[in-house]
Amino acid sequence: MPSSKTERARRLQMRRAFGFVLMSAVLPGSVQSFAGHRGIGRIAGRVYLAFVALALLVMLGLLLFRGPTVGLLLNPAVAGVVRVTLWVLFIGWLALLVDAWHLASPLKLGQKARLGLTATTLALALGMGGVTTVAASGFQAAGNVGFVLQGGGDIEVKAGRYNVLLLGVDGADGRDGLRPDSINVASVDAETGRTVLFGLPRNLQKVRFPLSSPLRSLYRNGYVCENNECLLNGVYTLGVEHADLYDDGVDAGLQAMKEAVGETLGLELNYYAMIDMAGFQSLINAMGGIRLNVGKPIPMGGGGSKIHGYIEPGENVHLDGYHALWFARSRAESSDYERMVRQKCVMSAMAKQLDPGTVATKFVDLSKAGQDLLSTDVGTGEVMELAELALRAKDLKITSVNFSPPLITPADPDFTLIRSTVKDKIAESAALDEANPAPTTTPANTPAPVSPAAETTGSAEPAVVESAAASESPAAGSEESPAAPAGESVSPADDVELVCSVP
């Protein structure tokens, strides 16, 4: 039997050993300062105290100067340096922890105490390794996001709003000759985040350029061609062809699109976001797919290739990236306007079904997919404010206006009607945030009611287009709208609820 004195010595040795390991984990270098190499201990202590002070400074910046601080952290160079620094600090921390275990003289302990000390050391090492991995991955994702947010947009609020041009392109390899498939503008209240979404058809003709545009001198009466091939989605290519008229370093195609769309709607645009439909495939796969209520069979293929299958109708249909991409891009057996509706359904489902758990577990994959999906002139310094506006608007209703027949005739649009509708819908949206909104009246030059092309929807739902069913469906692959029977108001997209909706 060991004496009580010997037993107390063993217990003291065990407490000292565990204390060494725990102290080293919490205060790196502290054990070496009094039980090992004191010079290394002092240097390590100063390094890790400086790191803690810097982390506290960043937290203070996030509280008091959120925008600039987030902008700095999203800078790809800064994010890369921080990521490397985290791993260097972890390796140093791990070396100090192992040295503390060695200084604890585990061989002098009993078998159970020795195993317990070693297991504790391993658990601490694995735990800190996991924390470092998550943190480093977070900065990898931040760098990916920062790579997309190159800046260059107009940060000034326009009449209390941010106006963002949203362009959807279908897998273009390069910018030359690019023709956007979907053209929308999100007008966001700079205080509440309440949003009005305006959709323009890509086949809109006779669009005008503002006086400030260098293209105005070439098209004084609007973008018009004798063969009626001068469409809104061709303005990007037009800008590229006349890049010499724009300042060096300016993306002439995007600038021309911003000028034409802004002049058409009567809005000053702040930013653009161009979304590659092909990029949806990797993003949707990263988030585990989306679910839609599909109202009709959607062909996969068509146009210049053979139809090789259909996405069958049904409720709560799960679509992976491949099938979601075909759902959004398919042209066969539908009109161009229906395709716009399907793209909105896909985007709405992504916004609604991207839950925090998916973001937390797949943020690196999502950020990598975002690099292939998005290009924008939003800067890292502005993204935080826009993200906060998006969060405020998440549970608010969105007014969605599609400028398509019968509201307008794309071949001969009424630009006065378009502008007045934009003004009225923004005013109606702003009135929703007033304590006692005054009743709105319909101007004499605006059809009553404005929708079939304009409806108010939930933030996660696509715009609803109410109409009688068309008498005929368009021919397979046709992008022309069906003709409306006399006396009926028919939308080329039919009733959107017959096409798709978000569960």
Side-chain angles (χ1 to χ4, degrees):
M1 291 286 294
S3 65
S4 59
K5 185 176 180 179
T6 303
E7 184 64 25
R8 285 196 300 270
R10 286 182 178 179
R11 290 179 181 177
L12 180 62
Q13 178 69 18
M14 185 175 65
R15 287 197 296 269
R16 179 176 179 271
F18 278 91
F20 272 22
V21 170
L22 294 175
M23 282 182 62
S24 182
V26 177
L27 298 172
S30 59
V31 174
Q32 286 77 14
S33 295
F34 65 84
H37 195 296
R38 294 185 179 182
I40 293 178
R42 285 194 297 269
I43 293 173
R46 291 169 184 171
V47 169
Y48 285 94
L49 283 176
F51 173 74
V52 171
L54 183 60
L56 291 175
L57 186 62
V58 170
M59 292 176 63
L60 185 63
L62 290 173
L63 289 174
L64 301 179
F65 309 101
R66 187 173 301 176
T69 304
V70 171
L72 178 64
L73 296 176
L74 289 177
N75 182 287
V78 172
V81 169
V82 172
R83 186 183 174 200
V84 172
T85 301
L86 287 172
W87 281 115
V88 170
L89 289 173
F90 169 71
I91 292 172
W93 177 91
L94 183 61
L96 292 169
L97 181 69
V98 173
D99 186 54
W101 173 84
H102 174 73
L103 293 172
S105 302
L107 295 179
K108 295 181 180 180
L109 301 176
Q111 184 179 14
K112 290 184 178 180
R114 185 165 60 249
L115 290 175
L117 180 66
T118 302
T120 300
T121 305
L122 288 174
L124 290 170
L126 291 174
M128 183 57 71
V131 171
T132 304
T133 299
V134 172
S137 297
F139 280 100
Q140 179 184 351
N144 291 340
V145 173
F147 183 80
V148 175
L149 303 174
Q150 295 297 307
D154 188 348
I155 64 174
E156 297 296 326
V157 176
K158 309 298 182 183
R161 309 185 73 82
Y162 290 112
N163 301 311
V164 184
L165 173 64
L166 305 174
L167 300 175
V169 299
D170 197 354
D173 294 328
R175 297 294 179 85
D176 291 340
L178 181 145
R179 289 177 176 266
D181 289 308
S182 63
I183 304 164
N184 297 274
V185 170
S187 182
V188 185
D189 190 290
E191 293 185 2
T192 66
R194 193 179 292 276
T195 302
V196 186
L197 186 64
F198 301 105
L200 292 171
R202 65 177 191 152
N203 61 343
L204 191 69
Q205 298 184 38
K206 302 179 182 179
V207 294
R208 303 168 182 173
F209 298 99
L211 292 174
S212 59
S213 171
L215 294 175
R216 176 67 177 248
S217 60
L218 301 179
Y219 298 94
R220 296 185 181 277
N221 298 318
Y223 185 37
V224 179
C225 302
E226 293 182 358
N227 54 9
N228 295 324
E229 292 182 356
C230 288
L231 309 179
L232 176 58
N233 73 332
V235 170
Y236 188 103
T237 302
L238 179 70
V240 172
E241 292 172 349
H242 295 282
D244 58 306
L245 300 178
Y246 290 88
D247 295 336
D248 292 338
V250 172
D251 188 324
L254 283 171
Q255 184 61 28
M257 284 296 300
K258 291 173 74 172
E259 291 167 350
V261 172
E263 181 71 9
T264 299
L265 297 177
L267 296 173
E268 294 184 73
L269 302 182
N270 296 87
Y271 306 107
Y272 84 91
M274 186 157 61
I275 303 169
D276 187 344
M277 291 301 296
F280 274 117
Q281 183 166 341
S282 57
L283 183 61
I284 290 175
N285 283 334
M287 62 183 286
I290 60 173
R291 293 189 174 275
L292 290 173
N293 295 328
V294 180
K296 57 175 288 188
I298 304 298
M300 295 185 291
S305 61
K306 182 180 179 181
I307 294 176
H308 56 270
Y310 284 83
I311 298 171
E312 297 298 334
E315 294 186 0
N316 204 30
V317 176
H318 179 268
L319 300 176
D320 59 14
Y322 174 79
H323 290 89
L325 177 59
W326 268 115
F327 185 86
R329 74 178 355 169
S330 179
R331 297 180 186 275
E333 302 178 8
S334 66
S335 69
D336 204 30
Y337 304 103
E338 180 194 299
R339 186 169 182 259
M340 292 168 59
V341 169
R342 285 189 268 109
Q343 290 177 357
K344 284 188 177 181
C345 282
V346 171
M347 289 187 285
S348 296
M350 292 171 65
K352 182 178 180 181
Q353 296 168 13
L354 186 60
D355 60 275
T358 302
V359 174
T361 57
K362 299 183 178 181
F363 52 87
V364 175
D365 291 338
L366 291 171
S367 67
K368 287 180 179 177
Q371 284 185 273
D372 300 327
L373 173 71
L374 177 69
S375 62
T376 181
D377 59 355
V378 174
T380 55
E382 301 95 65
V383 68
M384 193 64 194
E385 181 178 358
L386 295 178
E388 289 176 347
L389 285 176
L391 288 175
R392 292 179 208 168
K394 187 174 182 180
D395 297 325
L396 299 176
K397 290 184 176 181
I398 293 178
T399 301
S400 181
V401 182
N402 283 331
F403 289 106
S404 57
L407 180 59
I408 67 164
T409 302
D412 188 22
D414 185 339
F415 291 104
T416 301
L417 172 60
I418 291 175
R419 286 189 165 211
S420 66
T421 302
V422 169
K423 183 178 180 180
D424 293 341
K425 288 302 173 182
I426 288 178
E428 291 174 13
S429 176
L432 295 175
D433 293 311
E434 297 178 3
N436 296 299
T440 57
T441 57
T442 304
N445 63 341
T446 303
V450 169
S451 76
E455 288 291 328
T456 301
T457 72
S459 59
E461 298 296 330
V464 176
V465 183
E466 295 180 353
S467 65
S471 58
E472 295 181 6
S473 297
S478 172
E479 294 180 7
E480 299 297 324
S481 59
E488 290 192 46
S489 176
V490 180
S491 168
D494 294 332
D495 191 327
V496 69
E497 297 294 343
L498 299 179
V499 178
C500 60
S501 63
V502 182

